[in-house]
Amino acid sequence: MKRNPLQQFWKNPTRRWFWLFLGPVVAAFIIGFVWPFAQGIWLSLCKFKTISNATFIGFGNYAKALSDPSFTHAFWYTALFAIVSLVLINVLAFAVAYALTQGIKGSNLFRTVFFMPNLIGGIVLGYIWSMIFDGFLSMYGTSILMKTEYGFWGLIILMLWQQIGYMMIIYIAGLQAVPEDMMEAAKIDGAGKWTTLFKVTIPNVMPSITICTFLSLTNGFKLFDQNMALTAGQPFIIQADGTVIKTTEMLALNIYNTFYGSNSASQGVAQAKAVLFFILVAGLGLAQLAYTRKREVQQ
C-alpha cells in the first residue's frame, strides 16, 4: 500500500521543522525589504508630502529626476569615484595581503593595524579626515576640501584608509588557500616570482577578487556618510538658470538632499532617484559578479 506523499513529507523530522525556522526569516524579509521596496516604487510614481496623502502622477518624477543636472553630475562623479576607488583599494589591499603572507615578522600586528580603521563609523571617519585636511593642508585661508579636485581625492584617501584593511583580510584568506602543490610545481618548472604570481596565485585568488571587487564597487556607489561629513557636496556652482550643482556630491547624498530640500514636492522626485539608484547598483553588481565568476578556477 502506497503512502500519501504529504504524510511522507511531514513524517521526515527535518522537513517538519524546516518551515518553523524558515517562516520567521521569510516574514522578516518581506516586512523589512519586500514591502518597503514595493512601497518605494509606488511612491516614486506619486506626488506626496506624507505617505498617507500620496497622489499617483505616473512617470513624471522619473522625467524630472533624469532631467535634473545635479543628479546627472552626481552620477558621473560617483561613477568616476567608484572606478578609481575600486582599482586603488583592490590593488593596494592585494599588495598588502601578499606582503603579509610572505612570512615577515610582526605580520599579525600589521594585520590588526590595517584592519582597525574599518571599525570606525563613516561619519566619524569623515570628521576625522576633515580635521586632518583642514589642519595640515589648508590653502589660501580656506579648507582644501572647498576645491572640487581636492575634495575628490580627499574622499578617495578616506575610502582607501577605511577599506584596504577589510579587503586585505579577504585576500589573505584567498592567498592562504592557494594549493601548495601548485606553487611547488611552478617552482620546479622554473617559474619566477612574477610568473608564479600572475599565472598561479592570482587565478587561484579569483574568488577573493570577485568578493572584494563587488564590495568595492557597491560601496563606492553607495557612499553617503563619509561624503556628507567630509565635503557635504561643496563647493557649489550656480548655473544661469539658478540650478545649484554641488560639485563633490555623490548619488546617495544627492537623493538625501533632494528629499529634504526646500521644495515640498521633491519627495517623489527623490524617491524616483532612489529607485534608479537601486537599479544602477544592482545591475552593476550582478554584471560584475557574472564577469569575474567566469574567471574563477576550480581547485
Side-chain angles (χ1 to χ4, degrees):
M1 182 177 178
K2 293 185 177 179
R3 294 182 179 179
N4 188 323
L6 188 60
Q7 291 178 341
Q8 291 180 339
F9 179 86
W10 286 110
K11 193 172 182 179
N12 188 320
T14 303
R15 293 172 179 172
R16 190 187 315 143
W17 292 101
F18 172 78
W19 294 106
L20 179 63
F21 289 98
L22 183 64
V25 176
V26 173
F29 179 72
I30 293 174
I31 295 171
F33 177 79
V34 176
W35 169 244
F37 182 70
Q39 192 175 46
I41 294 177
W42 161 250
L43 290 174
S44 71
L45 302 171
C46 299
K47 180 180 179 181
F48 67 96
K49 292 183 180 179
T50 61
I51 297 177
S52 60
N53 67 356
T55 304
F56 180 77
I57 61 171
F59 290 95
N61 289 328
Y62 288 91
K64 291 179 181 178
L66 293 172
S67 62
D68 183 357
S70 68
F71 185 65
T72 305
H73 173 83
F75 167 76
W76 291 113
Y77 187 83
T78 306
L80 178 62
F81 175 86
I83 293 171
V84 174
S85 63
L86 183 152
V87 173
L88 291 179
I89 287 172
N90 284 280
V91 170
L92 294 175
F94 182 85
V96 172
Y98 186 77
L100 294 179
T101 53
Q102 300 305 302
I104 64 175
K105 293 182 179 180
S107 59
N108 289 333
L109 175 62
F110 288 125
R111 294 180 191 184
T112 304
V113 171
F114 278 113
F115 183 76
M116 284 181 65
N118 187 258
L119 302 177
I120 305 174
I123 289 287
V124 177
L125 278 178
Y127 286 127
I128 288 173
W129 278 97
S130 178
M131 289 187 291
I132 291 173
F133 289 130
D134 288 344
F136 295 99
L137 299 175
S138 294
M139 300 174 65
Y140 310 112
T142 184
S143 172
I144 192 174
L145 298 175
M146 292 302 99
K147 290 182 173 290
T148 303
E149 62 274 21
Y150 296 142
F152 176 85
W153 289 109
L155 286 167
I156 290 290
I157 292 171
L158 187 158
M159 198 70 168
L160 294 178
W161 195 68
Q162 182 184 28
Q163 295 291 324
I164 284 177
Y166 184 79
M167 304 304 170
M168 173 202 69
I169 296 297
I170 299 175
Y171 280 126
I172 286 176
L175 288 166
Q176 291 177 336
V178 176
E180 286 293 334
D181 55 346
M182 294 183 67
M183 301 295 290
E184 292 176 3
K187 188 175 181 179
I188 293 172
D189 289 341
K193 267 195 172 183
W194 290 106
T195 303
T196 303
L197 175 63
F198 286 102
K199 298 296 184 180
V200 179
T201 304
I202 291 180
N204 282 280
V205 183
M206 275 306 298
S208 296
I209 293 175
T210 297
I211 296 171
C212 291
T213 304
F214 175 78
L215 292 174
S216 303
L217 181 66
T218 54
N219 288 342
F221 270 96
K222 295 187 300 180
L223 193 72
F224 170 73
D225 41 3
Q226 296 92 328
N227 186 201
M228 183 171 65
L230 190 66
T231 68
Q234 299 182 69
F236 305 158
I237 295 177
I238 301 178
Q239 296 186 317
D241 59 356
T243 304
V244 177
I245 294 180
K246 300 179 180 180
T247 58
T248 62
E249 182 183 64
M250 301 180 71
L251 279 173
L253 183 59
N254 179 266
I255 294 169
Y256 173 86
N257 287 333
T258 302
F259 192 91
Y260 293 103
S262 57
N263 185 357
S264 60
S266 62
Q267 285 89 341
V269 178
Q271 192 62 48
K273 289 182 178 182
V275 173
L276 293 172
F277 181 54
F278 169 81
I279 294 172
L280 171 68
V281 176
L284 287 174
L286 292 174
Q288 175 268 313
L289 286 175
Y291 178 80
T292 51
R293 278 179 176 171
K294 289 181 181 178
R295 281 149 182 79
E296 295 180 5
V297 297
Q298 298 295 327
Q299 297 182 4

